[in-house]
RNA sequence: GCCCCCGUAGCCCAACUGGUAGAGGCAAGCGACUUAAAAUCGCUCGAGUCCGGGUUCGAAUCCCGGCGGGGGCACCA
């Protein structure tokens, strides 16, 4: 009976062994090629590890183990992105220090990760909230500050009253906070900014240097949003603007259409709005500005809404033709993009066209080739008309000539504009890195010298936001008062850094985690960097990955790192979806199936009001073959595949799966579900399949009693047929693992074990390679069997098996015979048979000959080893 | 509205990148074992590749147009 596969016994045993033997510890070894495989470290939330973490972490663990077995010196670390809002919200609610809740959560995560048998070098664990870590985050901030990449600005920010903080643009989704979904409003505040825009061009160009999925690069390109165009100055018509002498600068990507600019639009926040507004328009303009300021970004950018705007009463002069054009304000022009003002060319821009139609402004065609511009804007290609010296020129030529003309006249210049804005880098929170900055009475700010780092977070009596926008750190009276580097009294900066700060450089700390002289040593950096493989969720495509690249480039310019990019290859794991089983309740409260719900309630559409929807936990569903049934009432449940969420009751807890099937089965199942990058639904019943595979392997190889091997494993030479299967399996598993196609790699191992089951005896030499390969995927059973095979040291130190291609060569091959592309039979021919031999063999086949009867063979297509095709006429 | 990815047995997925549509798993069916069931072992069933065109000797694979699902961007001048 001891032959039974008991993951809950063998798994803890080997986890302890690995810890005690310290098998995953790595150090720099110039003799060996390095491989740095990195996970996106988790935010240690209170709900613990979820199956999505397990997916990515298993993938990297397999790669790490594979590379180790291949002889690489593998760096595979883990740590904690532990600053952040949830811990602070918890502190506000309970009064418990965020450090304590964080430590507790980390302990849970760590226990869960260890339970999964991941091969991390835990001696390199980092925690962004440790003083020994964040002193270097502060140190890197000083580098940014020294390079003039950090500055203070009064900017309209996303103020979230509920959270008591400002948020970065990236943290605001549809006008609500990414975390919590609270309303966000615009409010001008004094904030720290990082000049990421200075690196926009390099962040864009260097995407060509790295091996990332296309969709991810595309998202970064969109975010950076480079557009080529021109800045053009329109002089304000002084007479119309109370004698004001001013210029309105606009950005346009279509300088070729300048002759068609029939009006201008300023954003409501534009500084010239107030000075140019005519007395007669003052009331309307002020009302419009007030109205716009109360709108959220969501409302302002709602595409469905009509264009709105107000005439200022002022005019400007089109520099090309000297014509007076009216200046309007409208909220479809954004203050934060370009110059906050546009020239409107209604004939060739859909937004301007809509606005012009609504307010009856002139529409003048300047690019021919489209339909009537009075009916619709023509945004396509064409030839310049009504454009003076540009007439007859193509769009491309007209752009170039206009820019040259503007530059000569000093009325504008060619320029490149970016959608990317500077990074709002401060938060009005407690649980973050304090800025190493002090303020003196004269309003100047000063960096703390390096020797005064770390600047530790002070203890507070409570963590509540002040509500005014002033950060909680302002309450730390003793901490607040200090001296400037020159000895003058000063007060500390009370903002803290955003959560992204710590995660911007953690991959560098792993390479030298305990260094207290420097964030990392140059030697270690040169050995380990760049990260060879970085796996994580796509939700970080533009935020974390862009910020890290930015910091890395700054560090590169400072000579602190040796590579221009941090992450050579990035892979996104697809989301694991959950299955929800719904039933419904009628207005009378009776539980019914979906079909009956429609009948009872006379519903015509698909939508059933949420109040009438009930869900059955997947574990409680009763199955009749493939039909999910209600556990009590027995009617059919409606299955929905969607994102896992607590409220839908479809969250799978890794701990539960390990309890039932073991960590190896969980790892294997998540890899077997499908391609790593693809979204796929969790299927409780399929976990059984891989669990069954492991029990089969166990029964095949483990002795029925004691700690040895099954009797069917024997010494001696490997029989020819088995040897062929063995080498075929090694080849396939090697290639699939190399390409991270773990699902098919596992299938190859399953096939091999199915083959082994048909053998009466199996030579020992045919199972060792299998055990080694299996150990990369399912390390516990792999280690157990490795020891049972007779090894004393860990399978971690084994060699990845190699295969002999010559073993796989077949003497003959079966190929298909087609006539006009239709399958008519197969023939068995020698592998090196030539076309004549193949045709002869085919004509000996009755079916083939029957179809060829009476036809003329016009052409023969022969692809050796694949196909023979007759073209007849 | 624009951009990207995906549609293959009841389900999750393979198919050497244009060459016999099926490797693996789930589910189902049959048999063996069992007093019976579960577990286990063995065997079996199963789609012509979302739809319509095109290129080709040959298309799941390439091209065009739809439909369906997922993701991203969204007045960015």
């Amino acid at each position: 009976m001891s032959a039974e596969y008991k993951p809950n016994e063998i798994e803890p045993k080997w986890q302890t062994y690995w810890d005690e033997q310290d098998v995953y510890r790595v150090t720099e070894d110039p003799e060996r090629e390095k491989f740095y495989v990195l996970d996106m470290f988790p935010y240690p939330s209170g709900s613990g590890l979820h199956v999505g973490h397990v997916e990515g972490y298993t993938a990297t663990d397999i790669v790490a183990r594979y590379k180790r077995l291949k002889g690489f010196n593998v760096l595979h670390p883990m740590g904690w992105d532990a600053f952040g809002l949830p811990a602070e919200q918890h502190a506000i609610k309970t009064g418990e220090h965020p450090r304590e809740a964080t430590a507790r959560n980390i302990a849970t995560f760590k226990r869960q990760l260890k339970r999964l048998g991941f091969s991390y070098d835990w001696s390199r664990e980092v925690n962004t909230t440790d003083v020994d870590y964040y002193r270097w985050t502060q140190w890197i901030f000083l580098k940014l500050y020294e390079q003039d990449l950090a500055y203070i600005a009064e900017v309209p920010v996303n103020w979230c009253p509920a959270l008591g903080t400002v948020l970065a643009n990236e943290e605001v989704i549809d006008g609500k906070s990414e975390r919590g979904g609270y309303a966000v409003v615009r409010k001008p505040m004094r904030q720290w900014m990082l000049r990421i825009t200075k690196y926009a061009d390099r962040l864009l160009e260097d995407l060509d240097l790295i091996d990332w999925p296309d969709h991810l690069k595309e998202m970064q390109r969109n975010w950076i949003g480079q557009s080529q165009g021109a800045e053009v100055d329109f002089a304000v018509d002084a007479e119309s603007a109370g004698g004001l002498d001013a210029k309105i600068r606009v950005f346009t990507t279509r300088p070729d259409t300048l002759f068609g600019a029939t009006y201008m639009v300023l954003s409501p926040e534009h500084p010239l709005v107030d000075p140019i507004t005519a007395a007669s328009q003052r009331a309307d303009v002020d009302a419009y500005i007030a109205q716009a300021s109360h709108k959220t970004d969501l409302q302002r950018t709602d595409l469905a809404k009509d264009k709105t705007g107000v005439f200022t009463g002022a005019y400007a002069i089109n520099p090309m033709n000297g014509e007076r054009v009216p200046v309007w304000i409208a909220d479809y022009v954004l203050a934060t993009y370009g110059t906050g003002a546009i020239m409107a060319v209604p004939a060739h821009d859909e937004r301007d066209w809509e606005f012009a139609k609504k307010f009856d402004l002139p529409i003048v065609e300047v690019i021919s080739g489209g339909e009537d511009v009075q009916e619709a804007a023509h945004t396509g290609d064409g030839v310049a008309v009504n454009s003076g010296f540009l007439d007859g020129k193509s769009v491309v030529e007209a752009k170039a000539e206009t820019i040259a003309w503007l530059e000569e006249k000093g009325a504008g210049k060619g320029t490149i504009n970016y959608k990317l804005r500077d990074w709002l880098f401060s938060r009005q929170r407690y649980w973050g890195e304090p800025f190493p900055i002090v303020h003196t009475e004269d309003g100047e700010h000063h960096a703390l010298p390096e020797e005064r780092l770390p600047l530790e977070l002070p203890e507070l009596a409570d963590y509540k936001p002040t509500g005014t926008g002033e950060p909680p750190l302002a309450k730390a009276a003793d901490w607040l008062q200090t001296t400037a580097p020159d000895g003058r009294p000063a007060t500390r900066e009370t903002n803290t850094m955003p959560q992204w700060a710590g995660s911007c450089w953690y991959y560098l700390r792993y390479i030298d985690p305990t260094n207290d002289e420097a964030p990392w040593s140059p030697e270690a950096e040169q050995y380990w960097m760049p990260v060879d493989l970085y796996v994580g969720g796509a939700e970080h495509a533009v935020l974390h990955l862009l910020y890290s690249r930015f910091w890395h480039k700054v560090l590169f310019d400072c000579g602190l790192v040796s590579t221009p990019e941090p992450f050579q290859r990035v892979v996104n794991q697809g989301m694991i979806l959950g299955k929800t089983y719904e039933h419904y309740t009628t207005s009378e409260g009776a539980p019914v199936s979906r079909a009956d719900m429609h009948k009872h309630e006379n519903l015509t559409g698909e939508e059933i009001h949420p109040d009438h929807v009930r869900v059955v936990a997947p574990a409680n569903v009763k199955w009749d073959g493939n039909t999910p049934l209600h556990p009590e009432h027995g009617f059919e449940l409606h299955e929905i595949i969607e994102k896992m969420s607590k409220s839908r009751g479809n969250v799978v807890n890794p701990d539960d799966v390990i309890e039932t099937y073991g960590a190896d089965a969980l790892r294997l199942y998540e890899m077997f579900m499908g391609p790593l990058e693809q979204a796929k639904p969790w299927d409780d019943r399929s976990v059984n399949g891989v669990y069954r595979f492991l029990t089969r392997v166990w029964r095949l190889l483990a002795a029925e009693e004691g700690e040895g091997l099954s009797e069917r494993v024997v010494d001696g030479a490997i029989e020819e047929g088995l040897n062929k299967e063995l080498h075929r399996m090694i080849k396939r598993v090697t290639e699939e693992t190399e390409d991270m196609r773990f699902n098919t790699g596992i299938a190859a191992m399953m096939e091999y074990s199915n083959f082994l089951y048909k053998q009466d005896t199996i030579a020992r030499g045919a199972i060792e390679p299998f055990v080694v390969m299996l150990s990369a995927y399912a390390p516990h059973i792999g280690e157990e069997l490795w020891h049972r095979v007779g090894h004393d040291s860990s399978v971690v130190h084994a060699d990845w098996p190699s295969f002999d291609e010559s073993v796989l060569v077949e003497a003959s091959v079966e190929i298909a015979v087609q006539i006009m592309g239709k399958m008519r039979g197969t023939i068995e021919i020698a592998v090196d048979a030539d076309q004549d031999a193949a045709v002869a063999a085919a004509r000996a086949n009755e079916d083939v000959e029957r179809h060829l009867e009476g036809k003329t063979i016009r052409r023969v297509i022969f692809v050796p080893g694949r196909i023979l095709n007759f073209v007849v006429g």
Side-chain angles (χ1 to χ4, degrees):
Chain A
M1 277 299 110
S2 64
E4 212 180 317
Y5 172 53
K6 291 181 183 155
N8 290 334
E9 285 178 15
I10 63 169
E11 291 179 356
K13 177 172 93 182
W14 293 114
Q15 285 157 17
T16 308
Y17 171 85
W18 294 327
D19 269 354
E20 285 169 355
Q21 303 281 316
D22 212 5
V23 293
Y24 304 124
R25 185 186 287 265
V26 282
T27 51
E28 290 82 81
D29 177 359
E31 299 299 304
R32 284 197 296 158
E33 198 176 336
K34 67 92 184 182
F35 194 84
Y36 187 176
V37 50
L38 181 69
D39 290 305
M40 288 186 186
F41 66 165
Y43 173 77
S45 73
S47 43
L49 206 65
H50 59 73
V51 290
H53 288 121
V54 176
E55 184 186 20
Y57 296 169
T58 302
T60 51
D61 195 61
I62 292 167
V63 172
R65 288 176 182 276
Y66 167 70
K67 289 288 180 181
R68 237 181 247 124
L69 292 164
K70 289 282 258 184
F72 288 83
N73 195 24
V74 174
L75 177 57
H76 187 41
M78 181 45 78
W80 317 106
D81 185 18
F83 276 128
L85 281 179
E88 186 160 353
Q89 294 299 93
H90 174 81
I92 290 165
K93 221 181 288 172
T94 64
E96 183 184 36
H97 196 292
R99 187 185 299 122
E100 285 162 32
T102 301
R104 204 167 47 236
N105 291 344
I106 287 175
T108 303
F109 266 75
K110 194 166 175 179
R111 177 187 60 74
Q112 290 181 302
L113 291 175
K114 289 217 166 193
R115 231 186 142 186
L116 278 152
F118 294 138
S119 60
Y120 297 121
D121 177 357
W122 283 106
S123 74
R124 292 172 182 267
E125 178 178 357
V126 303
N127 176 337
T128 56
T129 65
D130 281 348
V131 175
D132 289 339
Y133 182 92
Y134 74 69
R135 69 171 287 188
W136 298 113
T137 309
Q138 293 171 330
W139 186 87
I140 294 169
F141 176 81
L142 291 181
K143 298 290 160 205
L144 288 151
Y145 184 86
E146 286 161 16
Q147 309 283 310
D148 192 32
L149 294 169
Y151 63 98
I152 293 179
E154 186 83 18
V155 284
V157 298
N158 304 299
W159 168 248
C160 179
L163 293 172
T165 186
V166 299
L167 300 169
N169 289 330
E170 297 87 322
E171 292 169 305
V172 181
I173 314 283
D174 292 342
K176 297 202 169 94
S177 66
E178 187 193 12
R179 266 187 209 283
Y182 302 111
V184 173
V185 296
R186 285 295 216 188
K187 180 175 171 178
M189 285 177 70
R190 191 190 65 91
Q191 300 290 335
W192 282 95
M193 307 289 291
L194 295 188
R195 233 182 276 284
I196 190 171
T197 50
K198 199 179 162 191
Y199 282 74
D201 52 347
R202 283 166 63 190
L203 289 168
L204 194 63
E205 281 164 22
D206 287 358
L207 286 171
D208 294 338
L209 303 177
I210 48 187
D211 177 20
W212 290 19
D214 287 341
H215 70 96
L216 216 156
K217 287 189 182 183
E218 196 54 33
M219 280 165 75
Q220 293 226 338
R221 284 196 189 99
N222 286 341
W223 196 264
I224 295 166
Q226 185 186 62
S227 48
Q228 308 230 13
E231 281 182 357
V232 186
D233 289 334
F234 282 61
V236 174
D237 175 33
E239 196 184 331
S240 70
L244 182 76
D245 179 24
K247 282 175 178 164
I248 300 172
R249 177 164 294 182
V250 301
F251 174 74
T252 178
T253 55
R254 295 294 303 273
D256 55 305
T257 62
L258 241 173
F259 278 95
T262 53
Y263 66 101
M264 299 188 77
V265 186
L266 307 183
S267 70
E269 295 86 359
H270 196 283
L272 281 175
V273 172
D274 185 55
I276 65 171
T277 298
S280 59
Q281 295 299 105
R282 178 69 61 186
D284 285 354
V285 167
D286 286 351
Y288 186 80
I289 292 171
Q291 189 197 337
S293 75
H294 287 123
K295 283 187 189 171
T296 63
D297 265 10
L298 178 64
Q299 289 166 322
R300 278 185 62 162
T301 57
D302 184 1
L303 289 180
K305 86 170 166 59
D306 267 352
K307 295 271 182 292
T308 59
V310 176
F311 179 43
T312 61
Y315 291 82
I317 307 298
N318 185 328
M320 302 305 281
N321 53 17
E323 276 181 28
R324 280 170 99 229
V325 296
V327 180
W328 287 61
I329 63 170
D331 64 5
Y332 81 91
V333 174
L334 307 175
T336 45
Y337 183 75
T339 61
I342 63 159
M343 62 176 210
V345 185
H348 306 288
D349 181 284
E350 277 162 17
R351 296 153 301 181
D352 297 344
W353 187 89
E354 237 180 90
F355 192 83
K357 276 286 168 193
K358 175 152 180 189
F359 294 104
D360 206 19
L361 293 156
I363 299 170
V364 177
E365 180 182 52
V366 288
I367 300 293
S368 69
E371 302 294 308
D372 182 1
V373 296
Q374 303 305 324
E375 298 305 317
H378 166 53
T379 57
D381 214 348
V383 173
V385 291
N386 301 324
S387 293
F389 68 92
L390 295 177
D391 282 352
K393 301 270 195 303
S394 72
V395 167
V396 174
E397 288 167 337
K399 278 182 183 175
E401 294 211 11
T402 306
I403 289 169
W405 187 91
L406 288 167
E407 285 175 354
E408 194 192 313
K409 303 280 178 195
K413 60 174 191 249
T415 180
I416 293 172
N417 199 47
Y418 295 93
K419 213 159 91 179
L420 184 72
R421 326 273 165 77
D422 277 345
W423 174 12
L424 187 123
F425 194 66
S426 41
R427 298 290 182 279
Q428 291 65 53
R429 308 295 298 195
Y430 170 75
W431 194 229
E433 299 87 348
F435 282 82
I437 295 287
V438 298
H439 301 271
T440 44
E441 247 183 354
D442 54 11
E444 298 288 306
H445 48 82
H446 313 270
L448 288 180
E450 215 178 303
E451 314 81 74
R452 284 175 69 181
L453 298 184
L455 171 59
E456 292 195 45
L457 270 173
E459 299 300 315
L460 287 188
D462 78 276
Y463 307 95
K464 290 193 177 65
T466 59
T468 60
E470 193 176 24
L473 287 182
K475 299 183 200 172
D478 294 344
W479 179 85
L480 207 56
Q481 300 307 322
T482 184
T483 52
D486 61 10
R488 283 184 292 160
T491 55
R492 295 193 189 278
E493 172 63 49
T494 53
N495 282 298
T496 52
M497 300 184 200
Q499 195 178 352
W500 311 109
S503 60
C504 268
W505 72 283
Y506 73 110
Y507 57 93
L508 286 164
R509 188 59 176 172
Y510 283 138
I511 66 183
D512 194 7
T514 55
N515 194 330
D516 55 11
E517 304 290 316
W520 56 84
S521 78
E523 296 76 31
E525 190 277 329
Q526 272 159 39
Y527 181 72
W528 289 115
M529 286 299 288
V531 173
D532 297 284
L533 174 67
Y534 192 22
V535 176
E539 65 272 21
H540 292 115
V542 282
L543 310 179
H544 162 61
L545 287 175
L546 192 66
Y547 295 153
S548 304
R549 292 181 63 221
F550 164 49
W551 276 36
H552 196 86
K553 287 188 182 306
V554 175
L555 295 169
F556 180 76
D557 290 349
C558 294
L560 292 163
V561 296
S562 56
T563 63
E565 286 285 333
F567 314 122
Q568 189 52 42
R569 181 168 180 217
V570 170
V571 171
N572 286 133
Q573 83 259 20
M575 196 184 298
I576 294 182
L577 304 168
K579 286 187 180 176
T580 314
Y581 298 94
E582 285 187 343
H583 69 284
Y584 311 90
T585 57
T586 58
S587 311
E588 294 80 38
V592 292
S593 70
R594 188 177 183 85
D596 284 345
M597 186 65 185
H598 280 85
K599 227 178 283 168
H600 279 281
E601 305 290 307
N602 281 322
L603 297 176
T604 45
E606 283 297 300
E607 288 303 312
I608 297 176
H609 193 275
D611 287 353
H612 291 280
V613 175
R614 301 286 181 276
V615 295
V616 175
N620 296 333
V621 172
K622 285 181 79 175
W623 288 93
D624 174 22
N626 297 310
T627 311
L629 302 178
H630 192 282
E632 288 150 40
H633 306 291
F635 55 73
E636 185 172 348
L637 297 167
H638 182 58
E639 181 182 284
I640 296 170
I641 291 171
E642 60 189 352
K643 209 167 157 173
M644 286 187 184
S645 70
K646 271 184 207 146
S647 63
R648 298 287 280 163
N650 57 6
V651 176
V652 176
N653 179 347
D655 279 336
D656 296 343
V657 181
I658 293 174
E659 216 59 64
T660 314
Y661 299 103
D664 282 340
L666 171 58
R667 293 170 55 118
L668 219 48
Y669 172 62
E670 291 209 17
M671 294 301 100
F672 189 62
M673 292 171 83
L676 181 62
E677 304 195 38
Q678 195 171 299
K680 47 224 170 248
W682 182 277
D683 179 14
D684 262 328
R685 295 194 299 173
S686 294
V687 186
N688 231 325
V690 289
Y691 175 69
R692 203 142 34 188
F693 163 63
L694 290 173
T695 59
R696 277 167 66 81
V697 169
W698 182 264
R699 259 197 312 272
L700 186 71
L701 301 179
E704 286 189 30
E705 277 180 63
E707 308 250 296
L709 283 177
S710 159
E711 284 169 13
R712 80 170 93 187
V713 179
V714 297
D715 291 322
I718 305 171
E719 178 271 325
E720 195 188 325
L722 173 58
N723 199 41
K724 192 170 271 186
E725 283 302 312
L726 172 67
H727 284 262
R728 203 168 74 92
M729 186 273 296
I730 296 174
K731 179 180 158 77
R732 285 172 64 194
V733 176
T734 303
E735 289 171 356
E736 308 290 36
T737 307
E738 183 71 44
D739 294 342
M740 298 181 74
R741 291 196 303 257
F742 306 120
N743 54 330
T744 46
I746 293 166
M749 289 191 278
M750 286 176 166
E751 244 179 286
Y752 185 64
S753 89
N754 289 345
F755 181 84
L756 293 184
Y757 254 82
K758 298 193 175 79
Q759 312 300 307
D760 296 327
T761 61
I762 307 159
R764 188 181 296 262
I767 64 163
E768 279 205 25
F770 174 70
V771 167
V772 172
M773 299 178 110
L774 181 63
S775 80
Y777 287 75
H780 307 89
I781 191 173
E783 187 76 270
E784 173 73 26
L785 292 173
W786 180 249
H787 282 258
R788 284 178 180 242
V789 170
H791 296 277
D792 292 330
S793 66
S794 171
V795 69
V796 170
H797 302 121
D799 291 324
W800 187 263
S802 52
F803 58 91
D804 182 354
E805 198 82 53
S806 68
V807 173
L808 299 173
V809 175
E810 303 278 352
S812 65
V813 64
E814 192 187 49
I815 69 166
V817 180
Q818 298 182 339
I819 293 161
M820 296 300 282
K822 286 204 170 61
M823 259 287 290
R824 295 304 183 195
T826 59
I827 50 169
E828 182 90 15
I829 54 169
V831 166
D832 54 1
D834 61 10
Q835 180 170 319
D836 291 343
V839 169
R843 302 212 64 153
N845 179 304
E846 271 180 44
D847 285 338
V848 173
E849 193 51 35
R850 187 156 46 83
H851 281 97
L852 284 176
E853 208 139 53
K855 305 228 170 75
T856 315
I857 297 172
R858 298 207 177 276
R859 207 174 138 196
V860 175
I861 290 140
F862 177 61
V863 182
R866 297 217 192 277
I867 205 155
L868 178 67
N869 188 12
F870 294 100
V871 183
V872 298

